Amino acid sequence: MEGFGRGLRSTDEVVIEATGNCMAVSRVLSPFVARVVIANPLQVKAIAHAHVKTDKIDAGTLASLHAAGYLPEIWTPDAATERMRRLAARRFQIVRHRTRIKNEVHAILHAHLIPRCPHADLFSTVGRGWLLRQPVPADERDAIERHIREIDRLTEDLAVIDKEIASDALDDDAIARLLTITGINLTVAAGIMAAIGDINRFSSPQKLVSYFGLNPRVRQSGLGAAHHGRISKAGRSHARAMLVEAAWAAAKTPGPLHAFFVRIRAKRGHQVAAVALARKLTVNAGTYVGLR
């Protein structure tokens, strides 16, 4: 890659599509050229759909769009923001993996007609004691014990990542302001700010809602009525999941956010109410960090 960069001119501009290693490619090529532009592949596909797709044709399309000023570009984070994004993404993966293993334990109990655990948390000390007393076959008991060991290991990994996130986030004034919002803890606040990066990229809290993919899809033809569908789910999925998690926490706390959740729940149900509250939290978060 460095050899390729040496063959370029200092006035050149390089365009690459956003992929898993695009940031590393950008760092390698940046010293050799005037600018490295990272394109949003989803928006490029919408602009330049082709029946014949090869690397050469795609490269020509990117060059033409960039020369015409129509290339949808993504924002490139600095090193600190990129590190926080990696930590937040890894934490989300660990939590999702741990949840999947817990669901497998529940599935074993369900398969053998074991009634629901009388304790609040099946995987607490008393919950595990109840779990190990249940009449299941020996192979299923071995599987449950193996799953519990894996849950404990993932919990330890989660504690390590939470400590790293906290050490990087405690001195951030924007994160400190987000912590004053009901339902948002340190991990969620750090994940939100890592996803946002430079808040000046957004002109209003509604733009931030769209960035997190919490805005409903809108379809309208001519002067007809607009039809609103499900949320777009664009942007960073783990940041959106954190906001929904914060919404569930805020829904359990007495106050205006709880009242808002109850009002929407009565009309649309739990899930829609949680997403609506996550959208409201995003607007509040944008206001707290400087958007108007």
Side-chain angles (χ1 to χ4, degrees), residues 116 120 182-184 243-262 265 270 273-274 277 281:
R116 185 174 181 177
T182 303
I184 294 182
L243 284 165
V244 174
E245 177 185 341
W248 284 113
K252 299 175 183 178
T253 305
L257 295 178
H258 171 74
F260 174 81
F261 176 84
V262 171
R265 182 184 61 184
H270 286 79
L277 184 52
L281 286 176

PDB file of all heavy atoms in Angstrom, residues 116 120 182-184 243-262 265 270 273-274 277 281:
ATOM      1  N   ARG A 116     -41.131 -21.384  35.024  1.00  0.00           N
ATOM      2  CA  ARG A 116     -40.328 -20.171  35.084  1.00  0.00           C
ATOM      3  C   ARG A 116     -39.662 -20.037  36.443  1.00  0.00           C
ATOM      4  O   ARG A 116     -40.242 -20.386  37.477  1.00  0.00           O
ATOM      5  CB  ARG A 116     -41.226 -18.956  34.833  1.00  0.00           C
ATOM      6  CG  ARG A 116     -40.477 -17.649  34.744  1.00  0.00           C
ATOM      7  CD  ARG A 116     -41.410 -16.526  34.345  1.00  0.00           C
ATOM      8  NE  ARG A 116     -40.704 -15.262  34.241  1.00  0.00           N
ATOM      9  CZ  ARG A 116     -41.263 -14.121  33.858  1.00  0.00           C
ATOM     10  NH1 ARG A 116     -42.549 -14.103  33.547  1.00  0.00           N
ATOM     11  NH2 ARG A 116     -40.554 -13.017  33.792  1.00  0.00           N
ATOM     12  N   ALA A 120     -35.899 -13.258  40.438  1.00  0.00           N
ATOM     13  CA  ALA A 120     -35.866 -12.196  39.427  1.00  0.00           C
ATOM     14  C   ALA A 120     -34.823 -12.458  38.351  1.00  0.00           C
ATOM     15  O   ALA A 120     -35.058 -12.208  37.169  1.00  0.00           O
ATOM     16  CB  ALA A 120     -35.606 -10.844  40.107  1.00  0.00           C
ATOM     17  N   THR A 182     -31.936  11.136  32.330  1.00  0.00           N
ATOM     18  CA  THR A 182     -32.469   9.906  32.923  1.00  0.00           C
ATOM     19  C   THR A 182     -32.328   8.737  31.952  1.00  0.00           C
ATOM     20  O   THR A 182     -32.700   8.841  30.780  1.00  0.00           O
ATOM     21  CB  THR A 182     -33.957  10.089  33.279  1.00  0.00           C
ATOM     22  OG1 THR A 182     -34.094  11.197  34.158  1.00  0.00           O
ATOM     23  CG2 THR A 182     -34.512   8.842  33.931  1.00  0.00           C
ATOM     24  N   GLY A 183     -31.773   7.627  32.456  1.00  0.00           N
ATOM     25  CA  GLY A 183     -31.635   6.415  31.655  1.00  0.00           C
ATOM     26  C   GLY A 183     -30.281   6.245  31.010  1.00  0.00           C
ATOM     27  O   GLY A 183     -29.937   5.138  30.585  1.00  0.00           O
ATOM     28  N   ILE A 184     -29.498   7.314  30.905  1.00  0.00           N
ATOM     29  CA  ILE A 184     -28.194   7.249  30.233  1.00  0.00           C
ATOM     30  C   ILE A 184     -27.101   7.091  31.278  1.00  0.00           C
ATOM     31  O   ILE A 184     -26.918   7.955  32.139  1.00  0.00           O
ATOM     32  CB  ILE A 184     -27.950   8.502  29.377  1.00  0.00           C
ATOM     33  CG1 ILE A 184     -28.948   8.556  28.222  1.00  0.00           C
ATOM     34  CG2 ILE A 184     -26.528   8.520  28.841  1.00  0.00           C
ATOM     35  CD1 ILE A 184     -28.757   9.732  27.290  1.00  0.00           C
ATOM     36  N   LEU A 243     -29.159   3.272  22.786  1.00  0.00           N
ATOM     37  CA  LEU A 243     -30.197   4.261  23.045  1.00  0.00           C
ATOM     38  C   LEU A 243     -31.515   3.587  23.421  1.00  0.00           C
ATOM     39  O   LEU A 243     -32.230   4.060  24.307  1.00  0.00           O
ATOM     40  CB  LEU A 243     -30.381   5.145  21.812  1.00  0.00           C
ATOM     41  CG  LEU A 243     -29.298   6.205  21.605  1.00  0.00           C
ATOM     42  CD1 LEU A 243     -29.356   6.774  20.204  1.00  0.00           C
ATOM     43  CD2 LEU A 243     -29.445   7.321  22.637  1.00  0.00           C
ATOM     44  N   VAL A 244     -31.830   2.479  22.755  1.00  0.00           N
ATOM     45  CA  VAL A 244     -33.049   1.742  23.108  1.00  0.00           C
ATOM     46  C   VAL A 244     -32.913   1.149  24.506  1.00  0.00           C
ATOM     47  O   VAL A 244     -33.860   1.150  25.299  1.00  0.00           O
ATOM     48  CB  VAL A 244     -33.336   0.644  22.063  1.00  0.00           C
ATOM     49  CG1 VAL A 244     -34.518  -0.221  22.496  1.00  0.00           C
ATOM     50  CG2 VAL A 244     -33.614   1.262  20.695  1.00  0.00           C
ATOM     51  N   GLU A 245     -31.707   0.662  24.834  1.00  0.00           N
ATOM     52  CA  GLU A 245     -31.455   0.149  26.186  1.00  0.00           C
ATOM     53  C   GLU A 245     -31.639   1.247  27.227  1.00  0.00           C
ATOM     54  O   GLU A 245     -32.246   1.037  28.286  1.00  0.00           O
ATOM     55  CB  GLU A 245     -30.032  -0.411  26.244  1.00  0.00           C
ATOM     56  CG  GLU A 245     -29.599  -0.908  27.608  1.00  0.00           C
ATOM     57  CD  GLU A 245     -28.137  -1.337  27.646  1.00  0.00           C
ATOM     58  OE1 GLU A 245     -27.561  -1.587  26.562  1.00  0.00           O
ATOM     59  OE2 GLU A 245     -27.572  -1.416  28.747  1.00  0.00           O
ATOM     60  N   ALA A 246     -31.138   2.436  26.913  1.00  0.00           N
ATOM     61  CA  ALA A 246     -31.318   3.574  27.823  1.00  0.00           C
ATOM     62  C   ALA A 246     -32.791   3.953  27.938  1.00  0.00           C
ATOM     63  O   ALA A 246     -33.257   4.377  29.006  1.00  0.00           O
ATOM     64  CB  ALA A 246     -30.497   4.768  27.334  1.00  0.00           C
ATOM     65  N   ALA A 247     -33.534   3.798  26.844  1.00  0.00           N
ATOM     66  CA  ALA A 247     -34.963   4.121  26.868  1.00  0.00           C
ATOM     67  C   ALA A 247     -35.713   3.196  27.817  1.00  0.00           C
ATOM     68  O   ALA A 247     -36.594   3.630  28.566  1.00  0.00           O
ATOM     69  CB  ALA A 247     -35.539   4.014  25.452  1.00  0.00           C
ATOM     70  N   TRP A 248     -35.370   1.896  27.804  1.00  0.00           N
ATOM     71  CA  TRP A 248     -36.025   0.969  28.736  1.00  0.00           C
ATOM     72  C   TRP A 248     -35.714   1.342  30.186  1.00  0.00           C
ATOM     73  O   TRP A 248     -36.579   1.244  31.066  1.00  0.00           O
ATOM     74  CB  TRP A 248     -35.572  -0.461  28.449  1.00  0.00           C
ATOM     75  CG  TRP A 248     -36.212  -1.067  27.246  1.00  0.00           C
ATOM     76  CD1 TRP A 248     -35.613  -1.403  26.071  1.00  0.00           C
ATOM     77  CD2 TRP A 248     -37.599  -1.429  27.093  1.00  0.00           C
ATOM     78  NE1 TRP A 248     -36.527  -1.944  25.197  1.00  0.00           N
ATOM     79  CE2 TRP A 248     -37.745  -1.977  25.795  1.00  0.00           C
ATOM     80  CE3 TRP A 248     -38.717  -1.338  27.911  1.00  0.00           C
ATOM     81  CZ2 TRP A 248     -38.981  -2.439  25.311  1.00  0.00           C
ATOM     82  CZ3 TRP A 248     -39.941  -1.788  27.433  1.00  0.00           C
ATOM     83  CH2 TRP A 248     -40.062  -2.322  26.149  1.00  0.00           C
ATOM     84  N   ALA A 249     -34.474   1.773  30.438  1.00  0.00           N
ATOM     85  CA  ALA A 249     -34.117   2.186  31.800  1.00  0.00           C
ATOM     86  C   ALA A 249     -34.879   3.453  32.202  1.00  0.00           C
ATOM     87  O   ALA A 249     -35.368   3.570  33.331  1.00  0.00           O
ATOM     88  CB  ALA A 249     -32.612   2.416  31.898  1.00  0.00           C
ATOM     89  N   ALA A 250     -34.990   4.406  31.258  1.00  0.00           N
ATOM     90  CA  ALA A 250     -35.704   5.642  31.562  1.00  0.00           C
ATOM     91  C   ALA A 250     -37.192   5.388  31.770  1.00  0.00           C
ATOM     92  O   ALA A 250     -37.842   6.080  32.562  1.00  0.00           O
ATOM     93  CB  ALA A 250     -35.503   6.649  30.427  1.00  0.00           C
ATOM     94  N   ALA A 251     -37.731   4.382  31.071  1.00  0.00           N
ATOM     95  CA  ALA A 251     -39.163   4.077  31.187  1.00  0.00           C
ATOM     96  C   ALA A 251     -39.522   3.560  32.575  1.00  0.00           C
ATOM     97  O   ALA A 251     -40.684   3.645  32.989  1.00  0.00           O
ATOM     98  CB  ALA A 251     -39.565   3.056  30.127  1.00  0.00           C
ATOM     99  N   LYS A 252     -38.544   3.020  33.292  1.00  0.00           N
ATOM    100  CA  LYS A 252     -38.797   2.477  34.625  1.00  0.00           C
ATOM    101  C   LYS A 252     -38.615   3.513  35.735  1.00  0.00           C
ATOM    102  O   LYS A 252     -38.872   3.225  36.895  1.00  0.00           O
ATOM    103  CB  LYS A 252     -37.863   1.288  34.891  1.00  0.00           C
ATOM    104  CG  LYS A 252     -38.043   0.135  33.909  1.00  0.00           C
ATOM    105  CD  LYS A 252     -37.013  -0.949  34.154  1.00  0.00           C
ATOM    106  CE  LYS A 252     -37.137  -2.078  33.137  1.00  0.00           C
ATOM    107  NZ  LYS A 252     -36.102  -3.122  33.336  1.00  0.00           N
ATOM    108  N   THR A 253     -38.132   4.704  35.359  1.00  0.00           N
ATOM    109  CA  THR A 253     -37.849   5.741  36.354  1.00  0.00           C
ATOM    110  C   THR A 253     -38.967   6.783  36.351  1.00  0.00           C
ATOM    111  O   THR A 253     -39.288   7.327  35.282  1.00  0.00           O
ATOM    112  CB  THR A 253     -36.502   6.425  36.042  1.00  0.00           C
ATOM    113  OG1 THR A 253     -35.477   5.435  35.958  1.00  0.00           O
ATOM    114  CG2 THR A 253     -36.154   7.435  37.119  1.00  0.00           C
ATOM    115  N   PRO A 254     -39.594   7.071  37.491  1.00  0.00           N
ATOM    116  CA  PRO A 254     -40.660   8.069  37.521  1.00  0.00           C
ATOM    117  C   PRO A 254     -40.174   9.420  37.004  1.00  0.00           C
ATOM    118  O   PRO A 254     -39.065   9.860  37.303  1.00  0.00           O
ATOM    119  CB  PRO A 254     -41.036   8.145  39.006  1.00  0.00           C
ATOM    120  CG  PRO A 254     -40.588   6.831  39.581  1.00  0.00           C
ATOM    121  CD  PRO A 254     -39.359   6.451  38.813  1.00  0.00           C
ATOM    122  N   GLY A 255     -41.016  10.064  36.196  1.00  0.00           N
ATOM    123  CA  GLY A 255     -40.661  11.360  35.653  1.00  0.00           C
ATOM    124  C   GLY A 255     -41.311  11.584  34.301  1.00  0.00           C
ATOM    125  O   GLY A 255     -42.127  10.781  33.833  1.00  0.00           O
ATOM    126  N   PRO A 256     -40.969  12.675  33.619  1.00  0.00           N
ATOM    127  CA  PRO A 256     -41.581  12.987  32.324  1.00  0.00           C
ATOM    128  C   PRO A 256     -41.335  11.913  31.256  1.00  0.00           C
ATOM    129  O   PRO A 256     -42.224  11.642  30.452  1.00  0.00           O
ATOM    130  CB  PRO A 256     -40.914  14.314  31.932  1.00  0.00           C
ATOM    131  CG  PRO A 256     -40.417  14.893  33.210  1.00  0.00           C
ATOM    132  CD  PRO A 256     -40.054  13.737  34.076  1.00  0.00           C
ATOM    133  N   LEU A 257     -40.146  11.325  31.244  1.00  0.00           N
ATOM    134  CA  LEU A 257     -39.858  10.299  30.243  1.00  0.00           C
ATOM    135  C   LEU A 257     -40.710   9.053  30.475  1.00  0.00           C
ATOM    136  O   LEU A 257     -41.177   8.418  29.527  1.00  0.00           O
ATOM    137  CB  LEU A 257     -38.370   9.941  30.271  1.00  0.00           C
ATOM    138  CG  LEU A 257     -37.413  11.071  29.858  1.00  0.00           C
ATOM    139  CD1 LEU A 257     -35.969  10.615  29.984  1.00  0.00           C
ATOM    140  CD2 LEU A 257     -37.701  11.530  28.429  1.00  0.00           C
ATOM    141  N   HIS A 258     -40.912   8.703  31.741  1.00  0.00           N
ATOM    142  CA  HIS A 258     -41.785   7.571  32.066  1.00  0.00           C
ATOM    143  C   HIS A 258     -43.221   7.853  31.615  1.00  0.00           C
ATOM    144  O   HIS A 258     -43.889   6.981  31.034  1.00  0.00           O
ATOM    145  CB  HIS A 258     -41.750   7.298  33.569  1.00  0.00           C
ATOM    146  CG  HIS A 258     -42.764   6.296  34.032  1.00  0.00           C
ATOM    147  ND1 HIS A 258     -42.633   4.938  33.793  1.00  0.00           N
ATOM    148  CD2 HIS A 258     -43.944   6.451  34.698  1.00  0.00           C
ATOM    149  CE1 HIS A 258     -43.685   4.304  34.303  1.00  0.00           C
ATOM    150  NE2 HIS A 258     -44.487   5.196  34.854  1.00  0.00           N
ATOM    151  N   ALA A 259     -43.676   9.058  31.853  1.00  0.00           N
ATOM    152  CA  ALA A 259     -45.033   9.428  31.436  1.00  0.00           C
ATOM    153  C   ALA A 259     -45.172   9.375  29.918  1.00  0.00           C
ATOM    154  O   ALA A 259     -46.201   8.925  29.391  1.00  0.00           O
ATOM    155  CB  ALA A 259     -45.372  10.823  31.963  1.00  0.00           C
ATOM    156  N   PHE A 260     -44.141   9.833  29.203  1.00  0.00           N
ATOM    157  CA  PHE A 260     -44.153   9.778  27.742  1.00  0.00           C
ATOM    158  C   PHE A 260     -44.221   8.325  27.263  1.00  0.00           C
ATOM    159  O   PHE A 260     -44.999   7.993  26.354  1.00  0.00           O
ATOM    160  CB  PHE A 260     -42.890  10.457  27.204  1.00  0.00           C
ATOM    161  CG  PHE A 260     -42.722  10.350  25.719  1.00  0.00           C
ATOM    162  CD1 PHE A 260     -43.395  11.215  24.866  1.00  0.00           C
ATOM    163  CD2 PHE A 260     -41.883   9.395  25.160  1.00  0.00           C
ATOM    164  CE1 PHE A 260     -43.237  11.121  23.491  1.00  0.00           C
ATOM    165  CE2 PHE A 260     -41.725   9.286  23.799  1.00  0.00           C
ATOM    166  CZ  PHE A 260     -42.400  10.151  22.955  1.00  0.00           C
ATOM    167  N   PHE A 261     -43.427   7.458  27.894  1.00  0.00           N
ATOM    168  CA  PHE A 261     -43.433   6.038  27.523  1.00  0.00           C
ATOM    169  C   PHE A 261     -44.808   5.411  27.743  1.00  0.00           C
ATOM    170  O   PHE A 261     -45.326   4.681  26.887  1.00  0.00           O
ATOM    171  CB  PHE A 261     -42.373   5.293  28.338  1.00  0.00           C
ATOM    172  CG  PHE A 261     -42.354   3.812  28.115  1.00  0.00           C
ATOM    173  CD1 PHE A 261     -41.652   3.269  27.052  1.00  0.00           C
ATOM    174  CD2 PHE A 261     -43.033   2.952  28.973  1.00  0.00           C
ATOM    175  CE1 PHE A 261     -41.622   1.899  26.849  1.00  0.00           C
ATOM    176  CE2 PHE A 261     -43.010   1.586  28.779  1.00  0.00           C
ATOM    177  CZ  PHE A 261     -42.310   1.063  27.707  1.00  0.00           C
ATOM    178  N   VAL A 262     -45.418   5.697  28.882  1.00  0.00           N
ATOM    179  CA  VAL A 262     -46.732   5.125  29.202  1.00  0.00           C
ATOM    180  C   VAL A 262     -47.778   5.600  28.208  1.00  0.00           C
ATOM    181  O   VAL A 262     -48.644   4.821  27.763  1.00  0.00           O
ATOM    182  CB  VAL A 262     -47.128   5.491  30.643  1.00  0.00           C
ATOM    183  CG1 VAL A 262     -48.577   5.091  30.922  1.00  0.00           C
ATOM    184  CG2 VAL A 262     -46.197   4.822  31.640  1.00  0.00           C
ATOM    185  N   ARG A 265     -47.141   3.817  24.908  1.00  0.00           N
ATOM    186  CA  ARG A 265     -47.411   2.379  25.074  1.00  0.00           C
ATOM    187  C   ARG A 265     -48.904   2.081  25.013  1.00  0.00           C
ATOM    188  O   ARG A 265     -49.321   1.059  24.451  1.00  0.00           O
ATOM    189  CB  ARG A 265     -46.835   1.899  26.402  1.00  0.00           C
ATOM    190  CG  ARG A 265     -47.008   0.406  26.657  1.00  0.00           C
ATOM    191  CD  ARG A 265     -46.501   0.035  28.027  1.00  0.00           C
ATOM    192  NE  ARG A 265     -47.239   0.732  29.086  1.00  0.00           N
ATOM    193  CZ  ARG A 265     -46.929   0.635  30.392  1.00  0.00           C
ATOM    194  NH1 ARG A 265     -45.905  -0.083  30.779  1.00  0.00           N
ATOM    195  NH2 ARG A 265     -47.652   1.300  31.291  1.00  0.00           N
ATOM    196  N   HIS A 270     -45.416  -1.758  23.619  1.00  0.00           N
ATOM    197  CA  HIS A 270     -44.136  -1.575  24.307  1.00  0.00           C
ATOM    198  C   HIS A 270     -42.999  -1.219  23.345  1.00  0.00           C
ATOM    199  O   HIS A 270     -42.234  -0.282  23.598  1.00  0.00           O
ATOM    200  CB  HIS A 270     -43.770  -2.861  25.066  1.00  0.00           C
ATOM    201  CG  HIS A 270     -44.576  -3.081  26.303  1.00  0.00           C
ATOM    202  ND1 HIS A 270     -45.862  -3.570  26.284  1.00  0.00           N
ATOM    203  CD2 HIS A 270     -44.282  -2.859  27.615  1.00  0.00           C
ATOM    204  CE1 HIS A 270     -46.324  -3.656  27.522  1.00  0.00           C
ATOM    205  NE2 HIS A 270     -45.395  -3.232  28.347  1.00  0.00           N
ATOM    206  N   ALA A 273     -43.155   2.206  21.801  1.00  0.00           N
ATOM    207  CA  ALA A 273     -42.934   3.202  22.845  1.00  0.00           C
ATOM    208  C   ALA A 273     -41.455   3.308  23.198  1.00  0.00           C
ATOM    209  O   ALA A 273     -40.940   4.418  23.421  1.00  0.00           O
ATOM    210  CB  ALA A 273     -43.755   2.850  24.083  1.00  0.00           C
ATOM    211  N   ALA A 274     -40.750   2.179  23.254  1.00  0.00           N
ATOM    212  CA  ALA A 274     -39.317   2.203  23.575  1.00  0.00           C
ATOM    213  C   ALA A 274     -38.529   2.926  22.493  1.00  0.00           C
ATOM    214  O   ALA A 274     -37.622   3.724  22.786  1.00  0.00           O
ATOM    215  CB  ALA A 274     -38.802   0.776  23.750  1.00  0.00           C
ATOM    216  N   LEU A 277     -39.199   6.609  22.721  1.00  0.00           N
ATOM    217  CA  LEU A 277     -38.465   7.200  23.842  1.00  0.00           C
ATOM    218  C   LEU A 277     -36.981   7.301  23.520  1.00  0.00           C
ATOM    219  O   LEU A 277     -36.317   8.276  23.914  1.00  0.00           O
ATOM    220  CB  LEU A 277     -38.675   6.357  25.098  1.00  0.00           C
ATOM    221  CG  LEU A 277     -38.060   6.895  26.397  1.00  0.00           C
ATOM    222  CD1 LEU A 277     -38.477   8.331  26.636  1.00  0.00           C
ATOM    223  CD2 LEU A 277     -38.457   6.026  27.578  1.00  0.00           C
ATOM    224  N   LEU A 281     -34.753  10.609  23.657  1.00  0.00           N
ATOM    225  CA  LEU A 281     -33.463  10.699  24.341  1.00  0.00           C
ATOM    226  C   LEU A 281     -32.384  11.239  23.414  1.00  0.00           C
ATOM    227  O   LEU A 281     -31.495  11.986  23.841  1.00  0.00           O
ATOM    228  CB  LEU A 281     -33.051   9.316  24.864  1.00  0.00           C
ATOM    229  CG  LEU A 281     -33.802   8.788  26.092  1.00  0.00           C
ATOM    230  CD1 LEU A 281     -33.327   7.369  26.415  1.00  0.00           C
ATOM    231  CD2 LEU A 281     -33.600   9.691  27.297  1.00  0.00           C
TER     232      LEU A 281
END
